[in-house]
Amino acid sequence: MSETATPLWEVFIRARNGLSHKHAGSIHAADAEMALQAARDVYTRRGEGQSIWVARSSDIIASDPVDKDMLFEPTASKIYRHPTFYDIPDDVGNM
Amino acid sequence: MYSQGLIGADGKTHEDEAFLNAFQARIDAEQKIEPNDPMPQGYRKTLIRQISQHAHSEIIGMQPEGNWISRAPTLRRKAALLAKVQDEGGHGLYLYSAAETLGVSREEVTDQLLSGAAKYSSIFNYPALTWADIGAIGWLVDGAAIMNQIVLCRCSYGPYARAMIRICKEESFHQRQGYEIMIALCNGSDEQKELAQDALNRFWWPSLMMFGPPEGDSVHSSQSMIWKIKRFSNDDLRDKFINATVPQAEHLGLTIPDPDLKWNEQKQGYDHGDIDWNEFWRVVKGDGICNRDRLKKRRKVHRNGAWVREAALAFASKHAAQQTADAQIAAE
Ligand SMILES: [Fe+2]
Ligand SMILES: [Fe+2]
């Protein structure tokens, strides 16, 4: 295994205009242009996409699962951020 | 294409009880495990092994069919076969990516395949001798793979489950194009029908072996089941496959090459004859008809592609600035 590793890229695909790009998977490629071509071959063989983004996996900064409670738990108690928290009489109709 | 009959899994793990209990509670609550989540070493190792074996099977599985692309009888069949083989390559790539999320590199797993250390599905060590074999492979081999893979869509490991969902969407075309080839042959001349029967005769038993050997009653207490990597026993899935496939063979007017195959009213399913597990192990251990050829070819292709990988990397490092510009354009 004397070979240099070929960089890893994350692939994001916009299924059609009006939707946002969504993570589809990853791909190995030497550079951005080849990553786009490979992503097109591997992830859009059946009209799955209108547009592709690729980003080097090493450039993605991810939150640590260990911090999950610290980051996301506080929102659980803030139920007043949801519309159902507020009482509106039925006869007012939809709001 | 395959992974149910995981060969040589080792679920042994050494974490403390509190850690394992917390992990098991998540599994029991049907929570998906994601790459950076804490997980037992045994879980990680089992998955790396299973997912990479599965990926290798897709890649080696391109060979028996790829061999027939240039000899397909019509342009329609050629286009379909080309697309199918390309899909299998794609399946291999989705799966390698899923394995890599567990901390193994693409180069490592590729090396394991090329050195012969890693296993892949025994089915691909059988040759595709006639055009009818292409029909039988799509119908039976992809059919058996679908049985396995549908269940794997619910595997507890997120990236594996997601790869399987994508793969399952593509497999249905594979099986249908194979069955259509069988229909055409069975509606053809006596000679063509004979070809179809001969392909079924050779691929039936190896297809049943794809599900792996019977595990006995211990399977429900096996580590893979407890961790919800696996959800059905090999025998359960094999029975499902047989029950689905026998009527399809009848529709073609072909005979399943098993004199002991009988409908069992009580279990509402078929009983089948004994499977030759000695043959299975012989093929797994390297003594199938095509084992040597398959690896030889894979090594040769890898070697012949080395200069391309090197040139691409050299170009990339020289044009790092250019690359940044390309990425910007791509993001528009
Ligand atoms: Fe496949
Ligand atoms: Fe397939």
Short mmCIF file of all heavy atoms in Angstrom, two decimals, chain B residues 1-2 54 57-59 84 87-92 95 124 142 145 149 164 167-168 170-171 174, ligand 1:
data_model
loop_
_atom_site.label_atom_id
_atom_site.label_comp_id
_atom_site.label_asym_id
_atom_site.label_seq_id
_atom_site.Cartn_x
_atom_site.Cartn_y
_atom_site.Cartn_z
N MET B 1 -24.11 -6.37 -3.69
CA MET B 1 -25.11 -7.35 -4.06
C MET B 1 -25.41 -8.30 -2.93
O MET B 1 -26.34 -9.07 -2.97
CB MET B 1 -24.53 -8.18 -5.20
CG MET B 1 -25.46 -8.22 -6.36
SD MET B 1 -24.83 -9.28 -7.58
CE MET B 1 -25.29 -8.35 -9.00
N TYR B 2 -24.60 -8.32 -1.91
CA TYR B 2 -24.70 -9.44 -1.00
C TYR B 2 -23.99 -9.14 0.30
O TYR B 2 -23.00 -8.46 0.32
CB TYR B 2 -24.02 -10.62 -1.67
CG TYR B 2 -23.56 -11.71 -0.76
CD1 TYR B 2 -24.34 -12.82 -0.55
CD2 TYR B 2 -22.35 -11.60 -0.11
CE1 TYR B 2 -23.91 -13.83 0.27
CE2 TYR B 2 -21.92 -12.61 0.72
CZ TYR B 2 -22.70 -13.72 0.91
OH TYR B 2 -22.28 -14.71 1.70
N HIS B 54 -19.34 -6.64 1.50
CA HIS B 54 -20.47 -6.32 0.63
C HIS B 54 -19.97 -5.50 -0.57
O HIS B 54 -20.31 -5.77 -1.72
CB HIS B 54 -21.50 -5.56 1.46
CG HIS B 54 -22.86 -5.48 0.84
ND1 HIS B 54 -23.98 -5.15 1.57
CD2 HIS B 54 -23.29 -5.66 -0.42
CE1 HIS B 54 -25.03 -5.14 0.75
NE2 HIS B 54 -24.64 -5.44 -0.44
N SER B 57 -18.03 -7.52 -3.03
CA SER B 57 -18.92 -8.38 -3.82
C SER B 57 -19.50 -7.61 -5.01
O SER B 57 -19.62 -8.16 -6.10
CB SER B 57 -20.06 -8.90 -2.95
OG SER B 57 -19.55 -9.61 -1.84
N GLU B 58 -19.85 -6.35 -4.78
CA GLU B 58 -20.39 -5.54 -5.87
C GLU B 58 -19.33 -5.37 -6.96
O GLU B 58 -19.61 -5.47 -8.15
CB GLU B 58 -20.81 -4.16 -5.37
CG GLU B 58 -21.80 -4.15 -4.23
CD GLU B 58 -23.25 -4.37 -4.67
OE1 GLU B 58 -23.52 -4.45 -5.88
OE2 GLU B 58 -24.11 -4.49 -3.78
N ILE B 59 -18.10 -5.11 -6.53
CA ILE B 59 -17.02 -4.84 -7.49
C ILE B 59 -16.64 -6.10 -8.26
O ILE B 59 -16.55 -6.09 -9.49
CB ILE B 59 -15.79 -4.25 -6.75
CG1 ILE B 59 -16.16 -2.90 -6.08
CG2 ILE B 59 -14.61 -4.09 -7.70
CD1 ILE B 59 -16.60 -1.81 -7.02
N LYS B 84 -26.59 -1.86 -15.91
CA LYS B 84 -26.62 -2.68 -14.70
C LYS B 84 -25.23 -2.82 -14.11
O LYS B 84 -25.02 -2.63 -12.92
CB LYS B 84 -27.21 -4.06 -15.01
CG LYS B 84 -27.25 -4.94 -13.77
CD LYS B 84 -27.53 -6.39 -14.11
CE LYS B 84 -27.80 -7.21 -12.86
NZ LYS B 84 -26.60 -7.46 -12.06
N ASP B 87 -24.21 0.25 -12.48
CA ASP B 87 -24.87 0.35 -11.17
C ASP B 87 -24.10 -0.44 -10.10
O ASP B 87 -23.93 0.03 -8.98
CB ASP B 87 -26.29 -0.25 -11.23
CG ASP B 87 -27.33 0.77 -11.69
OD1 ASP B 87 -26.99 1.95 -11.88
OD2 ASP B 87 -28.49 0.36 -11.85
N GLU B 88 -23.67 -1.65 -10.44
CA GLU B 88 -22.96 -2.48 -9.46
C GLU B 88 -21.68 -1.79 -9.01
O GLU B 88 -21.32 -1.80 -7.83
CB GLU B 88 -22.65 -3.87 -10.01
CG GLU B 88 -23.85 -4.67 -10.55
CD GLU B 88 -24.96 -4.94 -9.54
OE1 GLU B 88 -24.86 -4.49 -8.39
OE2 GLU B 88 -25.95 -5.60 -9.92
N GLY B 89 -20.99 -1.16 -9.96
CA GLY B 89 -19.81 -0.38 -9.59
C GLY B 89 -20.19 0.73 -8.63
O GLY B 89 -19.51 0.96 -7.62
N GLY B 90 -21.31 1.40 -8.91
CA GLY B 90 -21.80 2.45 -8.02
C GLY B 90 -22.12 1.90 -6.64
O GLY B 90 -21.77 2.51 -5.62
N HIS B 91 -22.75 0.73 -6.59
CA HIS B 91 -23.07 0.12 -5.29
C HIS B 91 -21.80 -0.11 -4.49
O HIS B 91 -21.75 0.14 -3.28
CB HIS B 91 -23.79 -1.22 -5.49
CG HIS B 91 -25.11 -1.09 -6.16
ND1 HIS B 91 -25.88 -2.16 -6.54
CD2 HIS B 91 -25.81 0.02 -6.53
CE1 HIS B 91 -27.00 -1.72 -7.12
NE2 HIS B 91 -26.96 -0.41 -7.12
N GLY B 92 -20.76 -0.60 -5.17
CA GLY B 92 -19.49 -0.80 -4.48
C GLY B 92 -18.99 0.51 -3.88
O GLY B 92 -18.55 0.55 -2.73
N LEU B 95 -20.92 1.69 -0.83
CA LEU B 95 -20.62 0.85 0.33
C LEU B 95 -19.22 1.10 0.88
O LEU B 95 -19.02 1.13 2.09
CB LEU B 95 -20.81 -0.63 -0.03
CG LEU B 95 -22.28 -1.01 -0.19
CD1 LEU B 95 -22.44 -2.31 -0.97
CD2 LEU B 95 -22.95 -1.13 1.18
N PHE B 124 -19.96 -15.07 -7.10
CA PHE B 124 -19.26 -14.48 -8.23
C PHE B 124 -18.04 -15.29 -8.65
O PHE B 124 -17.31 -14.91 -9.56
CB PHE B 124 -18.89 -13.02 -7.93
CG PHE B 124 -20.12 -12.22 -7.63
CD1 PHE B 124 -20.32 -11.64 -6.38
CD2 PHE B 124 -21.12 -12.09 -8.58
CE1 PHE B 124 -21.47 -10.95 -6.09
CE2 PHE B 124 -22.28 -11.40 -8.31
CZ PHE B 124 -22.46 -10.83 -7.05
N ASP B 142 -29.52 -11.27 -8.36
CA ASP B 142 -30.02 -9.97 -7.89
C ASP B 142 -31.27 -10.16 -7.05
O ASP B 142 -31.51 -9.42 -6.09
CB ASP B 142 -30.27 -9.02 -9.06
CG ASP B 142 -28.96 -8.51 -9.65
OD1 ASP B 142 -28.34 -9.23 -10.44
OD2 ASP B 142 -28.54 -7.39 -9.28
N ALA B 145 -30.11 -11.05 -3.71
CA ALA B 145 -29.50 -9.87 -3.11
C ALA B 145 -30.57 -8.92 -2.58
O ALA B 145 -30.44 -8.36 -1.49
CB ALA B 145 -28.62 -9.16 -4.14
N GLN B 149 -31.00 -7.24 1.04
CA GLN B 149 -30.73 -5.81 1.14
C GLN B 149 -31.93 -5.03 1.64
O GLN B 149 -31.76 -4.00 2.29
CB GLN B 149 -30.24 -5.31 -0.22
CG GLN B 149 -28.89 -5.94 -0.55
CD GLN B 149 -28.27 -5.53 -1.86
OE1 GLN B 149 -27.08 -5.56 -2.01
NE2 GLN B 149 -29.10 -5.16 -2.82
N MET B 164 -28.00 1.26 1.63
CA MET B 164 -28.85 0.16 1.20
C MET B 164 -30.15 0.66 0.58
O MET B 164 -30.66 0.08 -0.36
CB MET B 164 -29.19 -0.76 2.37
CG MET B 164 -28.09 -1.64 2.89
SD MET B 164 -26.91 -2.31 1.74
CE MET B 164 -27.86 -2.99 0.51
N ILE B 167 -29.35 1.62 -2.89
CA ILE B 167 -29.08 0.42 -3.69
C ILE B 167 -30.37 -0.31 -4.02
O ILE B 167 -30.59 -0.73 -5.16
CB ILE B 167 -28.07 -0.49 -2.95
CG1 ILE B 167 -26.67 0.14 -3.01
CG2 ILE B 167 -28.06 -1.90 -3.54
CD1 ILE B 167 -25.62 -0.57 -2.19
N CYS B 168 -31.26 -0.44 -3.03
CA CYS B 168 -32.50 -1.18 -3.27
C CYS B 168 -33.34 -0.53 -4.37
O CYS B 168 -33.99 -1.21 -5.16
CB CYS B 168 -33.31 -1.28 -1.98
SG CYS B 168 -32.68 -2.58 -0.90
N GLU B 170 -32.28 0.74 -6.96
CA GLU B 170 -31.71 0.42 -8.27
C GLU B 170 -31.81 -1.06 -8.61
O GLU B 170 -31.76 -1.42 -9.78
CB GLU B 170 -30.24 0.88 -8.29
CG GLU B 170 -30.13 2.37 -8.03
CD GLU B 170 -28.71 2.90 -8.12
OE1 GLU B 170 -27.76 2.11 -8.17
OE2 GLU B 170 -28.57 4.13 -8.13
N GLU B 171 -31.94 -1.90 -7.58
CA GLU B 171 -31.87 -3.35 -7.82
C GLU B 171 -33.07 -3.89 -8.59
O GLU B 171 -32.95 -4.90 -9.29
CB GLU B 171 -31.75 -4.11 -6.49
CG GLU B 171 -30.41 -3.99 -5.81
CD GLU B 171 -29.27 -4.70 -6.54
OE1 GLU B 171 -29.52 -5.31 -7.60
OE2 GLU B 171 -28.15 -4.63 -6.05
N HIS B 174 -32.53 -4.41 -12.08
CA HIS B 174 -31.59 -5.51 -12.35
C HIS B 174 -32.32 -6.84 -12.46
O HIS B 174 -32.09 -7.64 -13.35
CB HIS B 174 -30.54 -5.61 -11.24
CG HIS B 174 -29.68 -4.39 -11.14
ND1 HIS B 174 -28.69 -4.27 -10.20
CD2 HIS B 174 -29.67 -3.24 -11.86
CE1 HIS B 174 -28.11 -3.08 -10.34
NE2 HIS B 174 -28.69 -2.45 -11.33
FE FE C 1 -25.69 -4.36 -6.48
#
